Amino acid sequence: MGDLRGGASTGVLFDIDETLVDLRAAMGSTLRAISAPDLAHFTEQDWAAYQHLYAADPLGYYDKYLTGELSFTRQRLLRVAHAQQAHGLPAFDDAAEEAWNAAYEQVLPQHFRAFDDVTAVLDELDALGIPYGAVSNNVHDYQRAKLDAAGLQRVELLVGIDTVGAAKPDPAIFLEGVRLLGTDPAQTLYVGDNPVVDAVGAQNAGLRGIWLERSGDVPVREEHSGLRVIDSLKAVPALCLGSKK
């Protein structure tokens, strides 16, 4: 799964969604909270499929937002429209779209939570004197509010796609994070849940890309067997010290 050994690192940059913050769980809880009255006939299996389809975004609407083809709100509405259609549900009209989006925006931040392994790892990095921050494929202010809602105010350094006008895997966004950390790219870890956008993108920018793959899915890992992979953020401090864990 890739050799985790390497020299000591002087800084760490993290992805946010599905790395520091459990966004899928937040989205799932929000969908259920705002849609349950209209989907009372859903079984648990229906809910799981509906939530998964929205979060997985198989038609790539979020990527189209990143390229400027869609607004942030429109990509969200197209994702829920796809989930609705896949489950034989009626399409939203304009008024229903507006009401749904308003409810979603109000409820979603209430469900932002950090993963269970985050706080202890940040504590350890603080104790080691290793600086850290976040580089995210969303705009700065939205992600700042997300980190704060998840109790991660301590992650002060944050680079968003509007910071340098670039999105991962463009090297510019990674290198801005490195610049703000004041570290050398070759001695900076970048940890994220997407093997291509995060791990490979960071490596191509000259950082030490680390793929966080929490599920332990062997076939998925075999598809990207050349990457450095970890199944928990708990491995990060040891990687910073240059040891294998």
Side-chain angles (χ1 to χ4, degrees), residues 107-141:
V107 174
L108 182 64
Q110 301 171 24
H111 294 284
F112 288 146
R113 301 286 186 276
F115 283 99
D116 291 343
D117 52 5
V118 174
T119 298
V121 168
L122 298 185
D123 285 345
E124 194 166 352
L125 293 177
D126 284 336
L128 292 169
I130 296 174
Y132 52 82
V135 172
S136 175
N137 263 5
N138 206 330
V139 295
H140 176 280
D141 289 355

Short mmCIF file of all heavy atoms in Angstrom, two decimals, residues 107-141:
data_model
loop_
_atom_site.label_atom_id
_atom_site.label_comp_id
_atom_site.label_asym_id
_atom_site.label_seq_id
_atom_site.Cartn_x
_atom_site.Cartn_y
_atom_site.Cartn_z
N VAL A 107 -29.98 23.64 8.67
CA VAL A 107 -29.80 22.44 9.48
C VAL A 107 -28.39 21.86 9.39
O VAL A 107 -27.85 21.36 10.38
CB VAL A 107 -30.85 21.37 9.09
CG1 VAL A 107 -30.60 20.06 9.82
CG2 VAL A 107 -32.25 21.89 9.40
N LEU A 108 -27.78 21.90 8.21
CA LEU A 108 -26.48 21.24 8.02
C LEU A 108 -25.42 21.62 9.05
O LEU A 108 -24.77 20.73 9.63
CB LEU A 108 -25.97 21.52 6.60
CG LEU A 108 -24.64 20.86 6.22
CD1 LEU A 108 -24.77 19.34 6.21
CD2 LEU A 108 -24.15 21.37 4.86
N PRO A 109 -25.20 22.91 9.35
CA PRO A 109 -24.15 23.24 10.32
C PRO A 109 -24.38 22.66 11.71
O PRO A 109 -23.42 22.50 12.47
CB PRO A 109 -24.18 24.78 10.35
CG PRO A 109 -24.79 25.18 9.04
CD PRO A 109 -25.80 24.11 8.75
N GLN A 110 -25.61 22.34 12.03
CA GLN A 110 -25.89 21.75 13.34
C GLN A 110 -25.33 20.34 13.47
O GLN A 110 -25.21 19.82 14.58
CB GLN A 110 -27.41 21.73 13.56
CG GLN A 110 -28.08 23.08 13.51
CD GLN A 110 -29.60 22.97 13.53
OE1 GLN A 110 -30.17 21.99 14.01
NE2 GLN A 110 -30.27 23.99 13.00
N HIS A 111 -24.99 19.73 12.35
CA HIS A 111 -24.52 18.34 12.36
C HIS A 111 -23.03 18.20 12.05
O HIS A 111 -22.53 17.08 11.95
CB HIS A 111 -25.32 17.52 11.35
CG HIS A 111 -26.77 17.38 11.73
ND1 HIS A 111 -27.19 16.52 12.72
CD2 HIS A 111 -27.89 18.00 11.26
CE1 HIS A 111 -28.50 16.61 12.84
NE2 HIS A 111 -28.95 17.50 11.97
N PHE A 112 -22.31 19.31 11.90
CA PHE A 112 -20.87 19.21 11.64
C PHE A 112 -20.17 18.67 12.88
O PHE A 112 -20.29 19.22 13.99
CB PHE A 112 -20.28 20.57 11.28
CG PHE A 112 -20.67 21.08 9.92
CD1 PHE A 112 -20.85 22.43 9.70
CD2 PHE A 112 -20.85 20.21 8.86
CE1 PHE A 112 -21.20 22.92 8.45
CE2 PHE A 112 -21.20 20.68 7.59
CZ PHE A 112 -21.38 22.04 7.40
N ARG A 113 -19.42 17.59 12.71
CA ARG A 113 -18.66 16.98 13.79
C ARG A 113 -17.28 16.58 13.29
O ARG A 113 -17.13 16.10 12.16
CB ARG A 113 -19.36 15.71 14.31
CG ARG A 113 -20.77 15.92 14.84
CD ARG A 113 -20.79 16.61 16.18
NE ARG A 113 -22.14 16.68 16.72
CZ ARG A 113 -23.05 17.60 16.42
NH1 ARG A 113 -22.73 18.57 15.57
NH2 ARG A 113 -24.26 17.58 16.95
N ALA A 114 -16.29 16.73 14.14
CA ALA A 114 -14.96 16.22 13.82
C ALA A 114 -14.95 14.71 14.03
O ALA A 114 -15.66 14.18 14.89
CB ALA A 114 -13.92 16.88 14.72
N PHE A 115 -14.15 14.02 13.23
CA PHE A 115 -13.97 12.59 13.45
C PHE A 115 -13.34 12.36 14.82
O PHE A 115 -12.64 13.22 15.36
CB PHE A 115 -13.07 11.99 12.36
CG PHE A 115 -13.77 11.77 11.05
CD1 PHE A 115 -13.64 12.68 10.01
CD2 PHE A 115 -14.55 10.64 10.84
CE1 PHE A 115 -14.28 12.47 8.79
CE2 PHE A 115 -15.19 10.42 9.63
CZ PHE A 115 -15.06 11.34 8.61
N ASP A 116 -13.57 11.17 15.36
CA ASP A 116 -13.12 10.87 16.72
C ASP A 116 -11.60 10.93 16.90
O ASP A 116 -11.12 11.10 18.02
CB ASP A 116 -13.61 9.48 17.14
CG ASP A 116 -15.12 9.42 17.32
OD1 ASP A 116 -15.74 10.49 17.45
OD2 ASP A 116 -15.67 8.30 17.34
N ASP A 117 -10.85 10.76 15.81
CA ASP A 117 -9.38 10.72 15.94
C ASP A 117 -8.73 12.09 15.80
O ASP A 117 -7.51 12.21 15.93
CB ASP A 117 -8.77 9.74 14.93
CG ASP A 117 -9.23 9.99 13.50
OD1 ASP A 117 -9.95 10.98 13.26
OD2 ASP A 117 -8.86 9.18 12.61
N VAL A 118 -9.50 13.14 15.57
CA VAL A 118 -8.91 14.43 15.24
C VAL A 118 -8.28 15.13 16.44
O VAL A 118 -7.12 15.56 16.41
CB VAL A 118 -9.95 15.36 14.58
CG1 VAL A 118 -9.38 16.76 14.38
CG2 VAL A 118 -10.41 14.78 13.25
N THR A 119 -9.04 15.27 17.51
CA THR A 119 -8.57 16.07 18.65
C THR A 119 -7.27 15.55 19.23
O THR A 119 -6.32 16.32 19.49
CB THR A 119 -9.64 16.13 19.75
OG1 THR A 119 -10.81 16.78 19.22
CG2 THR A 119 -9.14 16.92 20.95
N ALA A 120 -7.17 14.25 19.44
CA ALA A 120 -5.96 13.67 20.03
C ALA A 120 -4.75 13.88 19.13
O ALA A 120 -3.64 14.14 19.61
CB ALA A 120 -6.16 12.18 20.31
N VAL A 121 -4.95 13.80 17.82
CA VAL A 121 -3.85 13.99 16.89
C VAL A 121 -3.38 15.44 16.90
O VAL A 121 -2.18 15.73 16.91
CB VAL A 121 -4.27 13.56 15.47
CG1 VAL A 121 -3.24 14.01 14.43
CG2 VAL A 121 -4.42 12.04 15.42
N LEU A 122 -4.31 16.38 16.91
CA LEU A 122 -3.92 17.79 16.98
C LEU A 122 -3.23 18.10 18.30
O LEU A 122 -2.27 18.88 18.34
CB LEU A 122 -5.14 18.69 16.77
CG LEU A 122 -5.84 18.56 15.42
CD1 LEU A 122 -6.96 19.60 15.31
CD2 LEU A 122 -4.87 18.70 14.26
N ASP A 123 -3.69 17.48 19.37
CA ASP A 123 -3.01 17.64 20.67
C ASP A 123 -1.55 17.18 20.57
O ASP A 123 -0.63 17.83 21.09
CB ASP A 123 -3.72 16.82 21.75
CG ASP A 123 -5.02 17.44 22.21
OD1 ASP A 123 -5.26 18.63 21.92
OD2 ASP A 123 -5.80 16.72 22.87
N GLU A 124 -1.35 16.03 19.92
CA GLU A 124 0.00 15.48 19.80
C GLU A 124 0.88 16.35 18.92
O GLU A 124 2.05 16.57 19.22
CB GLU A 124 -0.07 14.05 19.27
CG GLU A 124 1.23 13.29 19.42
CD GLU A 124 1.08 11.79 19.20
OE1 GLU A 124 -0.07 11.31 19.06
OE2 GLU A 124 2.12 11.11 19.17
N LEU A 125 0.31 16.85 17.83
CA LEU A 125 1.09 17.75 16.97
C LEU A 125 1.47 19.02 17.72
O LEU A 125 2.59 19.53 17.59
CB LEU A 125 0.30 18.08 15.71
CG LEU A 125 0.05 16.94 14.73
CD1 LEU A 125 -0.81 17.41 13.56
CD2 LEU A 125 1.36 16.35 14.22
N ASP A 126 0.54 19.54 18.51
CA ASP A 126 0.85 20.72 19.33
C ASP A 126 1.99 20.42 20.29
O ASP A 126 2.92 21.23 20.47
CB ASP A 126 -0.38 21.17 20.11
CG ASP A 126 -1.40 21.90 19.26
OD1 ASP A 126 -1.01 22.47 18.22
OD2 ASP A 126 -2.59 21.93 19.64
N ALA A 127 1.94 19.26 20.93
CA ALA A 127 2.98 18.88 21.89
C ALA A 127 4.34 18.72 21.22
O ALA A 127 5.38 19.01 21.82
CB ALA A 127 2.58 17.58 22.59
N LEU A 128 4.32 18.28 19.98
CA LEU A 128 5.57 18.10 19.22
C LEU A 128 6.06 19.40 18.60
O LEU A 128 7.17 19.45 18.05
CB LEU A 128 5.36 17.06 18.11
CG LEU A 128 5.13 15.62 18.55
CD1 LEU A 128 4.67 14.77 17.37
CD2 LEU A 128 6.40 15.04 19.17
N GLY A 129 5.25 20.43 18.65
CA GLY A 129 5.62 21.71 18.05
C GLY A 129 5.56 21.69 16.53
O GLY A 129 6.27 22.45 15.87
N ILE A 130 4.71 20.83 15.98
CA ILE A 130 4.57 20.72 14.52
C ILE A 130 3.36 21.53 14.07
O ILE A 130 2.23 21.25 14.47
CB ILE A 130 4.40 19.24 14.10
CG1 ILE A 130 5.67 18.46 14.45
CG2 ILE A 130 4.09 19.13 12.61
CD1 ILE A 130 5.55 16.97 14.23
N PRO A 131 3.57 22.54 13.24
CA PRO A 131 2.44 23.37 12.80
C PRO A 131 1.54 22.62 11.82
O PRO A 131 1.99 21.72 11.10
CB PRO A 131 3.12 24.56 12.13
CG PRO A 131 4.42 24.00 11.62
CD PRO A 131 4.85 22.99 12.66
N TYR A 132 0.28 23.01 11.80
CA TYR A 132 -0.67 22.36 10.90
C TYR A 132 -1.70 23.36 10.41
O TYR A 132 -1.88 24.45 10.97
CB TYR A 132 -1.35 21.18 11.60
CG TYR A 132 -1.99 21.50 12.93
CD1 TYR A 132 -3.25 22.09 13.01
CD2 TYR A 132 -1.32 21.22 14.13
CE1 TYR A 132 -3.82 22.39 14.22
CE2 TYR A 132 -1.89 21.52 15.35
CZ TYR A 132 -3.14 22.09 15.40
OH TYR A 132 -3.71 22.40 16.62
N GLY A 133 -2.38 22.96 9.36
CA GLY A 133 -3.44 23.78 8.79
C GLY A 133 -4.27 22.94 7.85
O GLY A 133 -4.15 21.72 7.83
N ALA A 134 -5.11 23.59 7.08
CA ALA A 134 -6.02 22.88 6.18
C ALA A 134 -6.02 23.53 4.81
O ALA A 134 -5.92 24.76 4.69
CB ALA A 134 -7.43 22.87 6.76
N VAL A 135 -6.12 22.69 3.80
CA VAL A 135 -6.28 23.13 2.41
C VAL A 135 -7.50 22.42 1.87
O VAL A 135 -7.55 21.19 1.86
CB VAL A 135 -5.04 22.80 1.57
CG1 VAL A 135 -5.30 23.09 0.10
CG2 VAL A 135 -3.82 23.58 2.06
N SER A 136 -8.49 23.18 1.41
CA SER A 136 -9.79 22.60 1.09
C SER A 136 -10.31 23.02 -0.28
O SER A 136 -10.06 24.14 -0.72
CB SER A 136 -10.81 23.02 2.15
OG SER A 136 -12.11 22.57 1.81
N ASN A 137 -11.05 22.13 -0.92
CA ASN A 137 -11.70 22.44 -2.19
C ASN A 137 -13.08 23.05 -1.99
O ASN A 137 -14.08 22.57 -2.52
CB ASN A 137 -11.79 21.19 -3.07
CG ASN A 137 -10.66 21.12 -4.08
OD1 ASN A 137 -9.77 21.95 -4.07
ND2 ASN A 137 -10.70 20.13 -4.94
N ASN A 138 -13.11 24.11 -1.21
CA ASN A 138 -14.29 24.93 -1.07
C ASN A 138 -13.80 26.32 -0.67
O ASN A 138 -12.61 26.50 -0.39
CB ASN A 138 -15.25 24.36 -0.01
CG ASN A 138 -16.70 24.77 -0.27
OD1 ASN A 138 -16.97 25.84 -0.81
ND2 ASN A 138 -17.63 23.91 0.12
N VAL A 139 -14.68 27.28 -0.64
CA VAL A 139 -14.25 28.65 -0.35
C VAL A 139 -13.89 28.80 1.13
O VAL A 139 -14.41 28.10 2.00
CB VAL A 139 -15.32 29.68 -0.75
CG1 VAL A 139 -15.50 29.67 -2.26
CG2 VAL A 139 -16.63 29.41 -0.06
N HIS A 140 -12.99 29.73 1.40
CA HIS A 140 -12.43 29.90 2.73
C HIS A 140 -13.49 30.11 3.81
O HIS A 140 -13.50 29.43 4.84
CB HIS A 140 -11.45 31.07 2.72
CG HIS A 140 -10.88 31.40 4.06
ND1 HIS A 140 -11.56 32.13 5.02
CD2 HIS A 140 -9.68 31.08 4.63
CE1 HIS A 140 -10.82 32.25 6.10
NE2 HIS A 140 -9.68 31.63 5.90
N ASP A 141 -14.37 31.09 3.61
CA ASP A 141 -15.29 31.46 4.68
C ASP A 141 -16.27 30.33 5.02
O ASP A 141 -16.61 30.12 6.19
CB ASP A 141 -16.07 32.72 4.31
CG ASP A 141 -15.18 33.97 4.32
OD1 ASP A 141 -14.00 33.86 4.72
OD2 ASP A 141 -15.65 35.04 3.90
#
